[in-house]
Amino acid sequence: TEVKLVVLREKKNKKKKTQRTIVIKREKIDLKQQAAKLRVEEVDRGGKKLKLGVLHLPSFYGGRGGRTSGGDMAKLLREARDKKLDGIMLDLATNSGGLLQQAVDIVGLFIKQGPVVRVEGVGGNKNLRDVDPRIEWSGPLVVLTSRLSASASEIVAGAVKDYSRGVLVGDDHTFGKGTVQNVRDMPAGFGAVKVTTARFFRPAGQSTQLVGVETDVVVPSVFGTDKVGEKGRDHALATATTKPFHGKNVNSKDGFTPLLPTTIEHLKQQSAARIAKDKDMQEIIEEQKKNNDDSDIVVLSELLDEKTDDKDDDEEDPDAEEELTPRAKEALQVLADLVATQRK
């Protein structure tokens, strides 16, 4: 079917207005193209080849009776176990969110049981929990984030961090979208209004609103500018805290190895040493400075174009996997360091 979008445009003198109608045709979304994907990369550590999985999750999708991101992730993690992978990197760097319950289900794939997120608002307060005792992946885990990682992505990142389940790698913090919106109908003929009704809180009690989730190992990217994120928005809702609600049964004897502060500090030092010598990373740092100094306008389409090769589209193999971005490559190096450290 067709949708007619009527745009009312104000002239520069603010007295004259023009009207334009744009016709948009609805199309079905192909979830195969937007679904979670697993690829395997090899990284050398101490003369040994480590097999590391890159799990790319573009959104938290799902529907009644259809495929879900949680279901797809569970299958891919079982595949990772069958392939005897040494570690997993969950890529949420461009994931702006989606269905809340899917975020809870996905956290549950990495822990035994326990509360994942608390919702506090005008409709009351409640903890959303993972109730499935199974851990689909108990091995080393890195979560790649950026300042574009928002909402449900921040819920996953926050729970992983608060339960010491994995290492967060990426920009200094995530987007900071930690609120719930509901659409309220207005009287007939007046449309509807979207109202903020609640905040999200991490197990440690910190809201993800405004401040996002702080990264463990900072790796520069083109998104690392103060112009991207909730902090850069006028009238953004403030952050808040609540009483911590950590679960007591998130791990078991045969579960995951909780991260120690000394391990994270070691990973930081190793990564910083590599970044200081990496030409691509130094160029990104310079680009960050330029983005912060230029103007108040951010062109997201330019930021999203992070391809590292100069091939024409016509020359590219449509079935070939995209080359990993510099930050993803560094995140894999951090994962390799984590695998080696935990084995010691």
Side-chain angles (χ1 to χ4, degrees), residues 69 187 279:
S69 53
K279 182 180 177 181

Side-chain angles (χ1 to χ4, degrees), residues 116-118 120 199-203 205-207 240-242 245:
V116 173
V117 61
R118 182 171 174 82
E120 293 189 0
R199 283 190 182 93
F200 292 133
F201 290 88
R202 293 162 40 184
Q206 175 64 53
S207 172
T241 58
T242 192
F245 53 96

